[in-house]
Amino acid sequence: KYVEQANGAALTNGNVVEAMEGSFVEFADKLKESGVKVGKFRADGGQKVYAQQELQLGSFPTILFFPKHSSQAIKYPSEKRDVDSLLAFVNALR
């Protein structure tokens, strides 16, 4: 359960399955020079209430993008977790 962070923006990802970890690492690497930061947030345990109330996370994995100039998160609308799909989503919002 993670948050993928972008520059002043952020992406969140709930319970990242090990098989998906490689895609997120590659995704973060490709965005490194763009100013988009990718990080992790554990959305269970002590953070579960925050994740449910503040981020409206009900199921995992969930990916959110927090645009730099907005207080509203945008939920990733697809089950596709490959690098190209994630990049297309972020690039469409920047």
Side-chain angles (χ1 to χ4, degrees):
K1 301 173 186 169
Y2 302 91
V3 172
E4 306 303 328
Q5 282 199 61
N7 178 8
L11 291 174
T12 63
N13 176 342
N15 185 19
V16 176
V17 180
E18 280 185 39
M20 295 166 43
E21 187 75 22
S23 291
F24 286 103
V25 170
E26 184 179 346
F27 171 67
D29 191 50
K30 288 188 180 243
L31 290 172
K32 186 171 33 181
E33 300 299 321
S34 72
V36 175
K37 299 176 187 175
V38 178
K40 297 179 182 182
F41 171 74
R42 190 110 190 174
D44 63 353
Q47 299 298 323
K48 188 172 185 174
V49 172
Y50 172 81
Q52 290 174 331
Q53 293 178 354
E54 300 298 323
L55 301 175
Q56 289 78 47
L57 299 181
S59 63
F60 303 105
T62 299
I63 300 172
L64 300 174
F65 181 73
F66 295 89
K68 188 173 186 175
H69 300 293
S70 175
S71 62
Q72 297 295 318
I74 300 169
K75 187 174 182 179
Y76 180 63
S78 175
E79 292 300 315
K80 295 180 181 178
R81 303 295 201 248
D82 62 278
V83 175
D84 290 335
S85 296
L86 293 168
L87 285 171
F89 173 68
V90 170
N91 290 330
L93 296 172
R94 294 196 292 157

